[in-house]
Amino acid sequence: MIDKRVDSVAQAVDGIFNGATVMIGGFGEAGSPIELIHALIDLGAKDLIVVNNNNGSGHVGLAALIENEQVSKMICSFPRTANSTVFPDLYHRGDIELELVPQGTLAERIRAGGAGIPAFYTATAVGTPLAEAKEVRNFDGRDYVLEQGLKADFALVKCARADRYGNLVYNKTARNFGPIMAMAANTTIVQTGAQVEVGEIDAEIIVTPGIFVDRIVTVANPVHESRLVNDGRTYP
Amino acid sequence: MIDKRVDSVAQAVDGIFNGATVMIGGFGEAGSPIELIHALIDLGAKDLIVVNNNNGSGHVGLAALIENEQVSKMICSFPRTANSTVFPDLYHRGDIELELVPQGTLAERIRAGGAGIPAFYTATAVGTPLAEAKEVRNFDGRDYVLEQGLKADFALVKCARADRYGNLVYNKTARNFGPIMAMAANTTIVQTGAQVEVGEIDAEIIVTPGIFVDRIVTVANPVHESRLVNDGRTYP
Amino acid sequence: MSAIALAASIGWDREQMASRAALDIPDGAYVNLGIGIPEKVAQYVPEGREVIYHTENGLLGMSATLEAGQEDPELINAGKKQVSAIPGAAYFHHADSFAMIRGGHIDICVLGAMQVSQTGDLANWSTGSVDAIPAVGGAMDLVAGVKTIYIITQHCTRTGEPKLVGSCSFPLTGKAVVSRIFTDLAVIDVTPQGFKLVELAPGVELDYVRQRTGCELIADDWQ
Amino acid sequence: MSAIALAASIGWDREQMASRAALDIPDGAYVNLGIGIPEKVAQYVPEGREVIYHTENGLLGMSATLEAGQEDPELINAGKKQVSAIPGAAYFHHADSFAMIRGGHIDICVLGAMQVSQTGDLANWSTGSVDAIPAVGGAMDLVAGVKTIYIITQHCTRTGEPKLVGSCSFPLTGKAVVSRIFTDLAVIDVTPQGFKLVELAPGVELDYVRQRTGCELIADDWQ
């Protein structure tokens, strides 16, 4: 029987190893799997390469993971957010590496990684510093830069509802990077707001089919990062 | 006001010009926009380059379009179907060109065309006759072949429900090439089984957002190709 | 009173700049609005037009109108502000969202600028300072993928430096991407010949604009 | 009575070949089944296992069981036969479907073959005849993208030619892609050393298989 459910966030993140590449869903706080990130802080895995559009805010979630010095490198498009001080401090000290990727290129690289495309060409960043040292090639009179697919050892993703097969649906703009990160990771770990029976989610509306999901844990009332930040909360 | 609805299939296909590249949705009969194809036969545009996974069957739909000598070239993965005699006859006479593309490469080329990716690498077909004369490149120890994005002047797509913005949902495996062809064409023409009010299709379940759609015509009771073929029907 | 001090009190204010840009967005357009003044454009859609707003974090049919009690921290725009969705909106994932951008499906994008060159180069993501943490977001994807790029910006920086220049000194966001610029002083097109004046803000003189532009400004109809 | 005529009456029949292959598909596997005998594998899932079938035309959770009155010409498999969907199934478009294949997400694919070489090359789409209309479908994508490729095939062609060969004379579908072959006579692995016997069908002698194999067959455990 296929049953990808686990009982706790600790079980969900079990096995994330030192040096792993971890994709973390979310655009700002929307879709941020904050309970899974906190479980990863508890686990203590170090030297992580983290892929996320941003770099967290305040002293909870992704910012707390960075602050706890578990991240050696961030791959992201916008490492500047309101209330973000953790990353800048480490970055200026030279204690964390940054690979800056345009947001659409980041999304497409993740999608390519998940779809078995090792590399593709895009017009984004041509003629800018972010295309320096990259191969540029002309197709039909326009220049494009070669970008490589991006895969991960683990993905941490937040969704709204899931069944035991791992079929997922999301909530509004919390969908963002979740579906493509689920495709691009060897082990995709999902926190869901609710579990439903197999068959309860209409086959026509499933956003992430279960084939892309490995572990599911229910977090019925996830915290909101912005509220934690406003309350001055920290983790651990 | 945005209103992409037109009153007839004739209006829907209006402007398809001689020599146009036309993507036609469907995998076999599932998703085949047969009423739009028949309207294209009535329109009479010639020298079309048609992109479809197959090549139709019997003497209706895509097979009838080919039989009517409106197609100069087919781009497809499987030009052999039960009850398919029209294409083989023309092909053996040298009256139609064939570009044979592996099915997944065809899908990805269409998706790339719609997503602004001029070219990508894939492992499909490496070491086979279909990769001959194509660039092969090694990434991380494995060979991949360079494939180019595919765009079209027009796409003919069949869906289940649509609103005036052009938001679409499909029926089961009739979805197949519809969403990606809608992305890859300059003008996307859709026949829908039913029209609904804007807002009636939940924003979470829309498969093709209206941005990819230009014209919508309602065909409330579309014919099924297999039934027409069984009945020995022809078009025109 | 210096010319620079005057600048704050003449020409269009931020709302007027947004409203002027909105005039150039046709009925039925699919539009992406950058953070800052561009966001305000949505408030000034002329009567009788229907415009669909795209936000690159996965929503087509964004509305800035937010009814009390309807807020959801998971329904936000690219600036991470809470927004709402119109009837007929659609959600999608990030790769699909940028396929809309990169594939040329978005008609118009309105962005802010640090510098625009007379060849349409845009710099709006980095000063190139070694101290600053570089952050690019979706700006490079937008300028590379959207058919028409509009810029809304103050004509000069706070210290009086021209933002419309012969060539950008800041790192580029994209080369030859800008079509039209809406400043507090004027509407200016990027043409093969360089910057070309389209319209002056009420009460603003051509020479006043020229003095504040870092290179030639073609204004044949005004001479 | 010639050996070739005998071939029809000894070894496994089509159902038994499918059922033998099904034994090697583990619980929880995501599996794509080719057209023909491979389709039958779905009927022989051993007790206690749950296997999810993918059909490349856009469905995960396919079932061959078709209840009267539930048929829909728009719910078909890759062979364009009407099928049904299990509870927990999901529909998706063609690019997403082949992302599952190309991205290595499908665990096992079971295909038919015209020829398999001792290095695991597969030919199953074209005889290379100049008269034939070439048709490839998803076969090349499947062999390039799926982690484990199983083949179910008669050991020899109808005219008695071996299908397991030193090197394929027909145009390839993929190079070094086949893991295991289920024939009417035996189960055979492709190993770095070449074909290796795993199991003989009941009543079939090793020499009988060797005579019908176009190259060396390693069978150390049988000697």
Side-chain angles (χ1 to χ4, degrees), chain A residues 80-131:
Chain A
R80 260 195 334 235
T81 319
N83 304 308
S84 165
T85 57
V86 165
F87 179 85
D89 289 350
L90 282 166
Y91 183 77
H92 287 308
R93 290 210 311 264
D95 286 343
I96 193 163
E97 195 184 339
L98 169 65
E99 180 177 340
L100 188 71
V101 183
Q103 193 175 148
T105 296
L106 182 64
E108 189 68 11
R109 288 181 63 193
I110 295 167
R111 191 261 174 198
I117 304 288
F120 60 91
Y121 290 92
T122 176
T124 297
V126 167
T128 79
L130 296 192

Side-chain angles (χ1 to χ4, degrees), chain A residues 20-41:
Chain A
T21 296
V22 183
M23 291 181 175
I24 301 182
F27 179 87
E29 70 173 325
S32 178
I34 198 161
E35 284 79 6
L36 289 176
I37 300 170
H38 287 172
L40 180 53
I41 292 174

Side-chain angles (χ1 to χ4, degrees), chain B residues 2-235:
Chain B
I2 299 172
D3 191 351
K4 299 176 179 178
R5 294 171 297 186
V6 298
D7 292 331
S8 66
V9 289
Q11 279 179 268
V13 301
D14 185 48
I16 298 184
F17 49 84
N18 294 345
T21 297
V22 184
M23 291 179 175
I24 301 183
F27 179 87
E29 71 172 323
S32 178
I34 198 162
E35 284 79 5
L36 289 176
I37 300 170
H38 287 172
L40 180 53
I41 291 173
D42 296 343
L43 181 71
K46 296 266 182 200
D47 294 324
L48 303 174
I49 298 171
V50 169
V51 183
N52 179 273
N53 188 63
N54 304 102
N55 65 350
S57 67
H59 303 273
V60 294
L62 177 54
L65 184 74
I66 295 169
E67 190 163 29
N68 205 35
E69 301 191 342
Q70 293 178 248
V71 182
S72 60
K73 178 179 176 180
M74 285 295 308
I75 301 177
C76 70
S77 88
F78 205 83
R80 262 197 329 237
T81 319
N83 305 309
S84 167
T85 56
V86 165
F87 179 85
D89 290 349
L90 283 167
Y91 183 77
H92 286 308
R93 291 209 310 265
D95 286 344
I96 193 164
E97 195 184 339
L98 170 65
E99 181 178 340
L100 188 71
V101 184
Q103 194 175 148
T105 296
L106 181 63
E108 188 67 12
R109 288 182 62 193
I110 296 166
R111 191 262 174 197
I117 304 288
F120 60 90
Y121 290 92
T122 177
T124 298
V126 167
T128 80
L130 295 192
E132 275 167 23
K134 287 186 178 165
E135 175 185 320
V136 172
R137 185 160 171 170
N138 194 287
F139 294 93
D140 290 329
R142 187 170 184 194
D143 281 343
Y144 296 86
V145 64
L146 183 70
E147 294 282 358
Q148 307 228 352
L150 199 53
K151 293 199 220 184
D153 299 301
F154 299 91
L156 307 184
V157 168
K158 181 187 186 184
C159 78
R161 287 182 296 147
D163 64 27
R164 68 175 164 87
Y165 281 178
N167 292 311
L168 313 182
V169 292
Y170 299 82
N171 179 44
K172 300 172 187 163
T173 57
R175 186 184 303 194
N176 58 68
F177 286 91
I180 52 176
M181 288 182 170
M183 293 170 66
N186 280 337
T187 302
T188 294
I189 301 165
V190 177
Q191 68 170 73
T192 180
Q195 274 182 28
V196 299
E197 291 300 310
V198 160
E200 233 178 277
I201 311 176
D202 183 349
E204 297 280 11
I205 74 162
I206 288 168
V207 174
T208 294
I211 192 169
F212 297 124
V213 172
D214 298 282
R215 302 177 197 165
I216 303 152
V217 62
T218 301
V219 178
N221 293 296
V223 297
H224 291 295
E225 189 180 279
S226 57
R227 290 178 199 161
L228 296 184
V229 172
N230 287 341
D231 293 349
R233 298 278 290 278
T234 59
Y235 197 89

Side-chain angles (χ1 to χ4, degrees), chain C residues 107-125:
Chain C
D107 298 304
I108 296 170
C109 178
V110 187
L111 292 171
M114 293 159 65
Q115 292 178 327
V116 181
S117 85
Q118 59 188 343
T119 56
D121 297 352
L122 173 65
N124 76 346
W125 70 286

